[in-house]
Amino acid sequence: MRRSSAETKAVILAAARERFAADGYDKATIRAIAADARIDPAMVMRYFGTKEKLFAAAAEFDLELPELAPDQAGAGLVRHFLRKWEADEGLQVLLRTGVTNEAAAERMRTIFGGQVMPLVIGLTGDPERAPLRASLVASQLLGLALSRYILKFPPMVAATEEELIAWLSPTVQRYLTE
Amino acid sequence: MRRSSAETKAVILAAARERFAADGYDKATIRAIAADARIDPAMVMRYFGTKEKLFAAAAEFDLELPELAPDQAGAGLVRHFLRKWEADEGLQVLLRTGVTNEAAAERMRTIFGGQVMPLVIGLTGDPERAPLRASLVASQLLGLALSRYILKFPPMVAATEEELIAWLSPTVQRYLTE
């Protein structure tokens, strides 16, 4: 069975996401990723060039924030974040690697600064405090991901999406607008 | 200069904390820790036995929660957590390694479950929802540590202790008691 190059790239990226998330940036090797994908390491290099570029592709992530009504922004953002986390492995890769790798941490800063801040300014018309508000929102949303999906605190794992939204949305709403 | 065995152990532990925090559990080696501490690897093994036991000693951590007045519990807990983080590297080691190592994640669950939950029960007299409340508190406090000390979002780094307490204490107070 021959695969198209798009299929091959997708297989490599899926293996790279798992490997970077499990091992961190430094420890994950092209060789191990190629073995997971059952592809020759030279082929991985041909498609992605370097480990840095493969990581950038594996951790590519856009929050894709939707339009949010001002009084529903907290609830909407918590719901969107939970679904995004479960649907898109890029954010998982970034959070797991960002803890020990400065390049991944820098991408987190760019994503949350660059994408949540305009939302805050749109909601509040207050550019001065928007950077801090966006970071406070990130602190709660990333703490949610950390405790539910990575450290797996049993009550956070057991909670339904609606329960988490009910508890967290007043927090996020306050950081965004109050 | 000869060191006492207590001094030698302290030097090894300091090196181990830095190494485990920077590299994660799997990648950190006894050899590298010994080199950092300028001590023979055999001496590290003599004092600590195994890498697992060295890690357990390096990541030893007690939240040491103080008595908190019910209406000041949120502010008191945020202040205590910030000071504890800066004074005690055990928690930093646990958070950085817990992201890729299940044993460290398990210790985090034990610490936050075992130490925050009794506080919640004392404040609310509500054992049924105490596990979820304790986990919600952990999600915000660990998200604070992640965004301020690990991912280093600039506004979180720049914020003073009092600003962070002012923003976060209503959140923690609500998770604890409301």
Side-chain angles (χ1 to χ4, degrees):
Chain A
M1 187 193 75
R2 282 203 54 173
R3 283 192 287 226
S4 70
S5 61
E7 284 168 339
T8 305
K9 284 182 87 164
V11 168
I12 295 169
L13 278 177
R17 285 196 189 99
E18 286 203 15
R19 206 28 100 159
F20 282 123
D23 293 349
Y25 178 81
D26 291 328
K27 203 182 148 212
T29 62
I30 293 276
R31 185 177 298 272
I33 291 164
D36 292 345
R38 301 192 185 188
I39 281 173
D40 191 277
M43 187 77 107
V44 176
M45 298 305 279
R46 197 179 116 200
Y47 278 109
F48 291 96
T50 62
K51 179 171 158 182
E52 288 72 19
K53 287 180 187 166
L54 175 59
F55 176 73
E60 197 169 286
F61 176 70
D62 184 333
L63 272 176
E64 298 180 295
L65 293 173
E67 289 281 323
L68 296 166
D71 61 335
Q72 293 296 315
L77 197 50
V78 176
R79 177 177 286 112
H80 179 75
F81 180 83
L82 284 168
R83 293 190 178 168
K84 193 75 191 153
W85 179 276
E86 292 182 7
D88 184 338
E89 286 179 336
L91 182 54
Q92 305 180 28
V93 173
L94 274 179
L95 182 50
R96 286 183 188 268
T97 54
V99 169
T100 50
N101 178 261
E102 174 52 26
E106 171 61 27
R107 299 200 64 193
M108 290 289 265
R109 293 193 288 270
T110 305
I111 288 169
F112 280 89
Q115 298 185 26
V116 180
M117 212 148 62
L119 173 79
V120 178
I121 295 174
L123 288 168
T124 61
D126 171 14
E128 197 189 324
R129 289 205 294 181
L132 179 57
R133 289 179 181 280
S135 297
L136 289 163
V137 168
S139 81
Q140 178 60 90
L141 293 180
L142 294 175
L144 165 63
L146 186 70
S147 57
R148 178 169 162 97
Y149 300 110
I150 295 182
L151 300 177
K152 295 189 167 67
F153 289 114
M156 297 299 274
V157 175
T160 64
E161 187 182 284
E162 291 309 315
E163 283 172 317
L164 292 172
I165 292 168
W167 277 102
L168 269 67
S169 61
T171 300
V172 174
Q173 183 74 31
R174 189 165 59 80
Y175 296 161
L176 283 172
T177 64
E178 272 165 49
Chain B
M1 187 193 73
R2 284 202 51 172
R3 284 190 287 224
S4 71
S5 61
E7 285 167 338
T8 304
K9 284 182 87 164
V11 169
I12 295 169
L13 277 178
R17 284 194 190 100
E18 286 203 15
R19 206 30 100 159
F20 282 124
D23 293 349
Y25 178 81
D26 290 328
K27 202 180 147 211
T29 62
I30 294 277
R31 184 177 298 271
I33 291 163
D36 291 346
R38 301 190 183 189
I39 281 172
D40 191 276
M43 188 77 107
V44 177
M45 299 304 280
R46 198 180 115 200
Y47 278 109
F48 292 95
T50 62
K51 179 171 157 182
E52 287 70 20
K53 287 182 187 166
L54 176 58
F55 176 73
E60 196 169 287
F61 176 71
D62 185 332
L63 271 176
E64 298 180 296
L65 293 174
E67 289 280 323
L68 296 167
D71 62 336
Q72 295 293 315
L77 196 50
V78 176
R79 177 177 287 110
H80 179 76
F81 181 83
L82 284 168
R83 294 190 178 167
K84 194 75 191 153
W85 180 276
E86 293 182 8
D88 185 337
E89 287 179 336
L91 182 54
Q92 305 179 28
V93 173
L94 275 179
L95 181 50
R96 286 183 187 269
T97 53
V99 169
T100 49
N101 179 260
E102 174 53 26
E106 172 59 27
R107 299 200 64 193
M108 291 290 265
R109 293 193 288 268
T110 305
I111 288 169
F112 280 88
Q115 299 185 26
V116 180
M117 211 147 63
L119 174 78
V120 178
I121 294 173
L123 290 168
T124 62
D126 171 15
E128 197 189 325
R129 288 205 295 181
L132 179 58
R133 289 179 181 280
S135 297
L136 288 162
V137 168
S139 81
Q140 178 61 88
L141 294 179
L142 294 175
L144 165 63
L146 186 70
S147 56
R148 179 171 163 96
Y149 300 110
I150 295 182
L151 300 177
K152 295 190 167 65
F153 289 114
M156 298 300 275
V157 175
T160 64
E161 187 181 285
E162 291 310 315
E163 284 173 316
L164 292 171
I165 292 168
W167 277 103
L168 269 67
S169 62
T171 300
V172 175
Q173 184 73 31
R174 188 165 59 81
Y175 295 159
L176 283 172
T177 63
E178 274 163 48

PDB file of all heavy atoms in Angstrom, chain A residues 129 132 136 174-175, chain B residues 78-79 82 144 148 154-170:
ATOM      1  N   ARG A 129      -5.344  47.205  30.819  1.00  0.00           N
ATOM      2  CA  ARG A 129      -5.305  46.021  31.677  1.00  0.00           C
ATOM      3  C   ARG A 129      -5.533  44.719  30.911  1.00  0.00           C
ATOM      4  O   ARG A 129      -5.576  43.644  31.502  1.00  0.00           O
ATOM      5  CB  ARG A 129      -6.313  46.161  32.815  1.00  0.00           C
ATOM      6  CG  ARG A 129      -5.849  47.221  33.841  1.00  0.00           C
ATOM      7  CD  ARG A 129      -6.447  46.961  35.185  1.00  0.00           C
ATOM      8  NE  ARG A 129      -7.898  47.149  35.156  1.00  0.00           N
ATOM      9  CZ  ARG A 129      -8.680  47.007  36.215  1.00  0.00           C
ATOM     10  NH1 ARG A 129      -8.157  46.676  37.377  1.00  0.00           N
ATOM     11  NH2 ARG A 129      -9.974  47.204  36.114  1.00  0.00           N
ATOM     12  N   LEU A 132      -2.942  41.720  31.419  1.00  0.00           N
ATOM     13  CA  LEU A 132      -3.089  41.004  32.686  1.00  0.00           C
ATOM     14  C   LEU A 132      -4.374  40.175  32.698  1.00  0.00           C
ATOM     15  O   LEU A 132      -4.371  39.009  33.123  1.00  0.00           O
ATOM     16  CB  LEU A 132      -3.073  41.984  33.870  1.00  0.00           C
ATOM     17  CG  LEU A 132      -3.243  41.347  35.256  1.00  0.00           C
ATOM     18  CD1 LEU A 132      -2.166  40.286  35.532  1.00  0.00           C
ATOM     19  CD2 LEU A 132      -3.211  42.411  36.360  1.00  0.00           C
ATOM     20  N   LEU A 136      -4.610  36.184  33.306  1.00  0.00           N
ATOM     21  CA  LEU A 136      -5.402  35.586  34.383  1.00  0.00           C
ATOM     22  C   LEU A 136      -6.346  34.518  33.820  1.00  0.00           C
ATOM     23  O   LEU A 136      -6.499  33.436  34.401  1.00  0.00           O
ATOM     24  CB  LEU A 136      -6.200  36.670  35.115  1.00  0.00           C
ATOM     25  CG  LEU A 136      -5.363  37.619  35.987  1.00  0.00           C
ATOM     26  CD1 LEU A 136      -6.163  38.892  36.312  1.00  0.00           C
ATOM     27  CD2 LEU A 136      -4.926  36.932  37.281  1.00  0.00           C
ATOM     28  N   ARG A 174     -15.103  37.232  35.359  1.00  0.00           N
ATOM     29  CA  ARG A 174     -14.548  38.311  36.182  1.00  0.00           C
ATOM     30  C   ARG A 174     -13.178  38.747  35.671  1.00  0.00           C
ATOM     31  O   ARG A 174     -12.900  39.944  35.551  1.00  0.00           O
ATOM     32  CB  ARG A 174     -14.444  37.847  37.650  1.00  0.00           C
ATOM     33  CG  ARG A 174     -14.080  38.953  38.632  1.00  0.00           C
ATOM     34  CD  ARG A 174     -14.342  38.540  40.069  1.00  0.00           C
ATOM     35  NE  ARG A 174     -13.585  37.366  40.438  1.00  0.00           N
ATOM     36  CZ  ARG A 174     -12.300  37.382  40.784  1.00  0.00           C
ATOM     37  NH1 ARG A 174     -11.623  38.523  40.822  1.00  0.00           N
ATOM     38  NH2 ARG A 174     -11.668  36.272  41.092  1.00  0.00           N
ATOM     39  N   TYR A 175     -12.322  37.793  35.339  1.00  0.00           N
ATOM     40  CA  TYR A 175     -11.004  38.164  34.803  1.00  0.00           C
ATOM     41  C   TYR A 175     -11.144  38.931  33.492  1.00  0.00           C
ATOM     42  O   TYR A 175     -10.365  39.836  33.207  1.00  0.00           O
ATOM     43  CB  TYR A 175     -10.138  36.921  34.573  1.00  0.00           C
ATOM     44  CG  TYR A 175      -9.775  36.145  35.832  1.00  0.00           C
ATOM     45  CD1 TYR A 175      -9.352  34.826  35.750  1.00  0.00           C
ATOM     46  CD2 TYR A 175      -9.844  36.728  37.089  1.00  0.00           C
ATOM     47  CE1 TYR A 175      -9.017  34.098  36.887  1.00  0.00           C
ATOM     48  CE2 TYR A 175      -9.501  36.011  38.233  1.00  0.00           C
ATOM     49  CZ  TYR A 175      -9.099  34.702  38.127  1.00  0.00           C
ATOM     50  OH  TYR A 175      -8.766  33.987  39.248  1.00  0.00           O
TER      51      TYR A 175
ATOM     52  N   VAL B  78      -4.044  31.938  48.769  1.00  0.00           N
ATOM     53  CA  VAL B  78      -3.251  32.443  47.636  1.00  0.00           C
ATOM     54  C   VAL B  78      -1.914  32.980  48.143  1.00  0.00           C
ATOM     55  O   VAL B  78      -0.849  32.666  47.590  1.00  0.00           O
ATOM     56  CB  VAL B  78      -4.014  33.530  46.848  1.00  0.00           C
ATOM     57  CG1 VAL B  78      -3.119  34.107  45.739  1.00  0.00           C
ATOM     58  CG2 VAL B  78      -5.299  32.973  46.245  1.00  0.00           C
ATOM     59  N   ARG B  79      -1.937  33.760  49.216  1.00  0.00           N
ATOM     60  CA  ARG B  79      -0.686  34.310  49.772  1.00  0.00           C
ATOM     61  C   ARG B  79       0.250  33.181  50.217  1.00  0.00           C
ATOM     62  O   ARG B  79       1.434  33.182  49.895  1.00  0.00           O
ATOM     63  CB  ARG B  79      -0.993  35.246  50.940  1.00  0.00           C
ATOM     64  CG  ARG B  79       0.284  35.805  51.623  1.00  0.00           C
ATOM     65  CD  ARG B  79      -0.026  36.792  52.744  1.00  0.00           C
ATOM     66  NE  ARG B  79      -0.485  38.063  52.229  1.00  0.00           N
ATOM     67  CZ  ARG B  79      -1.729  38.545  52.322  1.00  0.00           C
ATOM     68  NH1 ARG B  79      -2.669  37.849  52.947  1.00  0.00           N
ATOM     69  NH2 ARG B  79      -2.043  39.709  51.812  1.00  0.00           N
ATOM     70  N   LEU B  82       1.803  31.329  47.177  1.00  0.00           N
ATOM     71  CA  LEU B  82       2.857  32.098  46.498  1.00  0.00           C
ATOM     72  C   LEU B  82       4.159  32.048  47.292  1.00  0.00           C
ATOM     73  O   LEU B  82       5.240  31.853  46.737  1.00  0.00           O
ATOM     74  CB  LEU B  82       2.419  33.559  46.310  1.00  0.00           C
ATOM     75  CG  LEU B  82       1.410  33.806  45.190  1.00  0.00           C
ATOM     76  CD1 LEU B  82       0.830  35.218  45.302  1.00  0.00           C
ATOM     77  CD2 LEU B  82       2.044  33.610  43.815  1.00  0.00           C
ATOM     78  N   LEU B 144      -1.842  29.362  38.364  1.00  0.00           N
ATOM     79  CA  LEU B 144      -1.071  30.557  38.735  1.00  0.00           C
ATOM     80  C   LEU B 144       0.429  30.263  38.682  1.00  0.00           C
ATOM     81  O   LEU B 144       1.207  31.020  38.074  1.00  0.00           O
ATOM     82  CB  LEU B 144      -1.482  30.981  40.156  1.00  0.00           C
ATOM     83  CG  LEU B 144      -0.585  31.976  40.892  1.00  0.00           C
ATOM     84  CD1 LEU B 144      -0.554  33.316  40.164  1.00  0.00           C
ATOM     85  CD2 LEU B 144      -1.074  32.159  42.339  1.00  0.00           C
ATOM     86  N   ARG B 148       2.874  32.045  35.972  1.00  0.00           N
ATOM     87  CA  ARG B 148       3.811  33.035  36.513  1.00  0.00           C
ATOM     88  C   ARG B 148       5.257  32.529  36.534  1.00  0.00           C
ATOM     89  O   ARG B 148       6.166  33.256  36.185  1.00  0.00           O
ATOM     90  CB  ARG B 148       3.382  33.405  37.942  1.00  0.00           C
ATOM     91  CG  ARG B 148       4.281  34.412  38.671  1.00  0.00           C
ATOM     92  CD  ARG B 148       3.587  34.833  39.960  1.00  0.00           C
ATOM     93  NE  ARG B 148       4.404  35.473  40.955  1.00  0.00           N
ATOM     94  CZ  ARG B 148       4.525  36.794  41.129  1.00  0.00           C
ATOM     95  NH1 ARG B 148       3.935  37.623  40.301  1.00  0.00           N
ATOM     96  NH2 ARG B 148       5.235  37.285  42.122  1.00  0.00           N
ATOM     97  N   PRO B 154       4.346  37.489  30.738  1.00  0.00           N
ATOM     98  CA  PRO B 154       4.908  38.731  31.297  1.00  0.00           C
ATOM     99  C   PRO B 154       4.003  39.458  32.305  1.00  0.00           C
ATOM    100  O   PRO B 154       4.508  39.904  33.349  1.00  0.00           O
ATOM    101  CB  PRO B 154       5.193  39.579  30.052  1.00  0.00           C
ATOM    102  CG  PRO B 154       5.447  38.571  28.984  1.00  0.00           C
ATOM    103  CD  PRO B 154       4.514  37.425  29.275  1.00  0.00           C
ATOM    104  N   PRO B 155       2.680  39.582  32.056  1.00  0.00           N
ATOM    105  CA  PRO B 155       1.872  40.316  33.055  1.00  0.00           C
ATOM    106  C   PRO B 155       1.792  39.588  34.403  1.00  0.00           C
ATOM    107  O   PRO B 155       1.651  40.228  35.450  1.00  0.00           O
ATOM    108  CB  PRO B 155       0.485  40.393  32.408  1.00  0.00           C
ATOM    109  CG  PRO B 155       0.719  40.118  30.948  1.00  0.00           C
ATOM    110  CD  PRO B 155       1.887  39.197  30.893  1.00  0.00           C
ATOM    111  N   MET B 156       1.891  38.250  34.378  1.00  0.00           N
ATOM    112  CA  MET B 156       1.844  37.491  35.638  1.00  0.00           C
ATOM    113  C   MET B 156       3.169  37.616  36.382  1.00  0.00           C
ATOM    114  O   MET B 156       3.205  37.622  37.610  1.00  0.00           O
ATOM    115  CB  MET B 156       1.558  36.011  35.372  1.00  0.00           C
ATOM    116  CG  MET B 156       0.230  35.732  34.727  1.00  0.00           C
ATOM    117  SD  MET B 156      -1.195  36.280  35.702  1.00  0.00           S
ATOM    118  CE  MET B 156      -1.431  34.865  36.782  1.00  0.00           C
ATOM    119  N   VAL B 157       4.256  37.703  35.625  1.00  0.00           N
ATOM    120  CA  VAL B 157       5.567  37.887  36.244  1.00  0.00           C
ATOM    121  C   VAL B 157       5.660  39.284  36.860  1.00  0.00           C
ATOM    122  O   VAL B 157       6.202  39.468  37.955  1.00  0.00           O
ATOM    123  CB  VAL B 157       6.692  37.680  35.200  1.00  0.00           C
ATOM    124  CG1 VAL B 157       8.053  37.994  35.799  1.00  0.00           C
ATOM    125  CG2 VAL B 157       6.657  36.245  34.649  1.00  0.00           C
ATOM    126  N   ALA B 158       5.097  40.276  36.152  1.00  0.00           N
ATOM    127  CA  ALA B 158       5.199  41.669  36.594  1.00  0.00           C
ATOM    128  C   ALA B 158       4.278  41.980  37.776  1.00  0.00           C
ATOM    129  O   ALA B 158       4.542  42.903  38.549  1.00  0.00           O
ATOM    130  CB  ALA B 158       4.881  42.612  35.430  1.00  0.00           C
ATOM    131  N   ALA B 159       3.197  41.215  37.924  1.00  0.00           N
ATOM    132  CA  ALA B 159       2.218  41.525  38.973  1.00  0.00           C
ATOM    133  C   ALA B 159       2.837  41.343  40.357  1.00  0.00           C
ATOM    134  O   ALA B 159       3.666  40.457  40.569  1.00  0.00           O
ATOM    135  CB  ALA B 159       0.997  40.612  38.822  1.00  0.00           C
ATOM    136  N   THR B 160       2.453  42.214  41.282  1.00  0.00           N
ATOM    137  CA  THR B 160       2.923  42.062  42.657  1.00  0.00           C
ATOM    138  C   THR B 160       2.112  40.974  43.365  1.00  0.00           C
ATOM    139  O   THR B 160       1.026  40.590  42.908  1.00  0.00           O
ATOM    140  CB  THR B 160       2.742  43.358  43.462  1.00  0.00           C
ATOM    141  OG1 THR B 160       1.327  43.625  43.554  1.00  0.00           O
ATOM    142  CG2 THR B 160       3.430  44.536  42.779  1.00  0.00           C
ATOM    143  N   GLU B 161       2.661  40.514  44.502  1.00  0.00           N
ATOM    144  CA  GLU B 161       1.936  39.527  45.308  1.00  0.00           C
ATOM    145  C   GLU B 161       0.536  40.052  45.666  1.00  0.00           C
ATOM    146  O   GLU B 161      -0.454  39.328  45.556  1.00  0.00           O
ATOM    147  CB  GLU B 161       2.746  39.238  46.582  1.00  0.00           C
ATOM    148  CG  GLU B 161       2.188  38.118  47.419  1.00  0.00           C
ATOM    149  CD  GLU B 161       3.015  37.883  48.702  1.00  0.00           C
ATOM    150  OE1 GLU B 161       4.104  37.316  48.601  1.00  0.00           O
ATOM    151  OE2 GLU B 161       2.555  38.271  49.788  1.00  0.00           O
ATOM    152  N   GLU B 162       0.455  41.326  46.045  1.00  0.00           N
ATOM    153  CA  GLU B 162      -0.846  41.881  46.456  1.00  0.00           C
ATOM    154  C   GLU B 162      -1.835  41.955  45.293  1.00  0.00           C
ATOM    155  O   GLU B 162      -3.030  41.727  45.469  1.00  0.00           O
ATOM    156  CB  GLU B 162      -0.672  43.256  47.116  1.00  0.00           C
ATOM    157  CG  GLU B 162       0.009  43.206  48.481  1.00  0.00           C
ATOM    158  CD  GLU B 162      -0.615  42.183  49.445  1.00  0.00           C
ATOM    159  OE1 GLU B 162      -1.853  42.114  49.548  1.00  0.00           O
ATOM    160  OE2 GLU B 162       0.144  41.424  50.081  1.00  0.00           O
ATOM    161  N   GLU B 163      -1.345  42.299  44.095  1.00  0.00           N
ATOM    162  CA  GLU B 163      -2.242  42.324  42.925  1.00  0.00           C
ATOM    163  C   GLU B 163      -2.788  40.930  42.633  1.00  0.00           C
ATOM    164  O   GLU B 163      -3.986  40.761  42.353  1.00  0.00           O
ATOM    165  CB  GLU B 163      -1.491  42.837  41.688  1.00  0.00           C
ATOM    166  CG  GLU B 163      -1.266  44.340  41.677  1.00  0.00           C
ATOM    167  CD  GLU B 163      -0.360  44.782  40.522  1.00  0.00           C
ATOM    168  OE1 GLU B 163       0.685  44.128  40.269  1.00  0.00           O
ATOM    169  OE2 GLU B 163      -0.693  45.789  39.887  1.00  0.00           O
ATOM    170  N   LEU B 164      -1.911  39.938  42.699  1.00  0.00           N
ATOM    171  CA  LEU B 164      -2.360  38.570  42.421  1.00  0.00           C
ATOM    172  C   LEU B 164      -3.371  38.108  43.470  1.00  0.00           C
ATOM    173  O   LEU B 164      -4.369  37.462  43.142  1.00  0.00           O
ATOM    174  CB  LEU B 164      -1.161  37.620  42.365  1.00  0.00           C
ATOM    175  CG  LEU B 164      -0.239  37.846  41.161  1.00  0.00           C
ATOM    176  CD1 LEU B 164       1.026  37.012  41.294  1.00  0.00           C
ATOM    177  CD2 LEU B 164      -0.950  37.512  39.851  1.00  0.00           C
ATOM    178  N   ILE B 165      -3.106  38.452  44.724  1.00  0.00           N
ATOM    179  CA  ILE B 165      -4.049  38.074  45.783  1.00  0.00           C
ATOM    180  C   ILE B 165      -5.402  38.752  45.540  1.00  0.00           C
ATOM    181  O   ILE B 165      -6.456  38.128  45.666  1.00  0.00           O
ATOM    182  CB  ILE B 165      -3.478  38.428  47.172  1.00  0.00           C
ATOM    183  CG1 ILE B 165      -2.269  37.528  47.474  1.00  0.00           C
ATOM    184  CG2 ILE B 165      -4.544  38.289  48.265  1.00  0.00           C
ATOM    185  CD1 ILE B 165      -1.448  37.961  48.673  1.00  0.00           C
ATOM    186  N   ALA B 166      -5.370  40.031  45.154  1.00  0.00           N
ATOM    187  CA  ALA B 166      -6.628  40.755  44.922  1.00  0.00           C
ATOM    188  C   ALA B 166      -7.433  40.107  43.788  1.00  0.00           C
ATOM    189  O   ALA B 166      -8.651  39.952  43.891  1.00  0.00           O
ATOM    190  CB  ALA B 166      -6.340  42.221  44.598  1.00  0.00           C
ATOM    191  N   TRP B 167      -6.759  39.712  42.712  1.00  0.00           N
ATOM    192  CA  TRP B 167      -7.479  39.102  41.593  1.00  0.00           C
ATOM    193  C   TRP B 167      -7.941  37.683  41.915  1.00  0.00           C
ATOM    194  O   TRP B 167      -9.041  37.281  41.569  1.00  0.00           O
ATOM    195  CB  TRP B 167      -6.588  39.066  40.343  1.00  0.00           C
ATOM    196  CG  TRP B 167      -6.566  40.334  39.548  1.00  0.00           C
ATOM    197  CD1 TRP B 167      -5.589  41.280  39.524  1.00  0.00           C
ATOM    198  CD2 TRP B 167      -7.583  40.794  38.642  1.00  0.00           C
ATOM    199  NE1 TRP B 167      -5.930  42.297  38.664  1.00  0.00           N
ATOM    200  CE2 TRP B 167      -7.137  42.025  38.104  1.00  0.00           C
ATOM    201  CE3 TRP B 167      -8.818  40.294  38.226  1.00  0.00           C
ATOM    202  CZ2 TRP B 167      -7.876  42.761  37.177  1.00  0.00           C
ATOM    203  CZ3 TRP B 167      -9.559  41.025  37.302  1.00  0.00           C
ATOM    204  CH2 TRP B 167      -9.102  42.235  36.789  1.00  0.00           C
ATOM    205  N   LEU B 168      -7.074  36.892  42.539  1.00  0.00           N
ATOM    206  CA  LEU B 168      -7.372  35.460  42.672  1.00  0.00           C
ATOM    207  C   LEU B 168      -8.157  35.080  43.926  1.00  0.00           C
ATOM    208  O   LEU B 168      -8.807  34.034  43.936  1.00  0.00           O
ATOM    209  CB  LEU B 168      -6.075  34.635  42.624  1.00  0.00           C
ATOM    210  CG  LEU B 168      -5.666  34.170  41.223  1.00  0.00           C
ATOM    211  CD1 LEU B 168      -5.276  35.342  40.339  1.00  0.00           C
ATOM    212  CD2 LEU B 168      -4.530  33.157  41.286  1.00  0.00           C
ATOM    213  N   SER B 169      -8.097  35.898  44.970  1.00  0.00           N
ATOM    214  CA  SER B 169      -8.719  35.425  46.200  1.00  0.00           C
ATOM    215  C   SER B 169     -10.243  35.260  46.095  1.00  0.00           C
ATOM    216  O   SER B 169     -10.771  34.305  46.680  1.00  0.00           O
ATOM    217  CB  SER B 169      -8.313  36.283  47.402  1.00  0.00           C
ATOM    218  OG  SER B 169      -8.740  37.594  47.231  1.00  0.00           O
ATOM    219  N   PRO B 170     -10.974  36.114  45.338  1.00  0.00           N
ATOM    220  CA  PRO B 170     -12.414  35.818  45.228  1.00  0.00           C
ATOM    221  C   PRO B 170     -12.677  34.471  44.543  1.00  0.00           C
ATOM    222  O   PRO B 170     -13.634  33.768  44.887  1.00  0.00           O
ATOM    223  CB  PRO B 170     -12.953  36.973  44.359  1.00  0.00           C
ATOM    224  CG  PRO B 170     -11.933  38.065  44.471  1.00  0.00           C
ATOM    225  CD  PRO B 170     -10.614  37.380  44.658  1.00  0.00           C
TER     226      PRO B 170
END
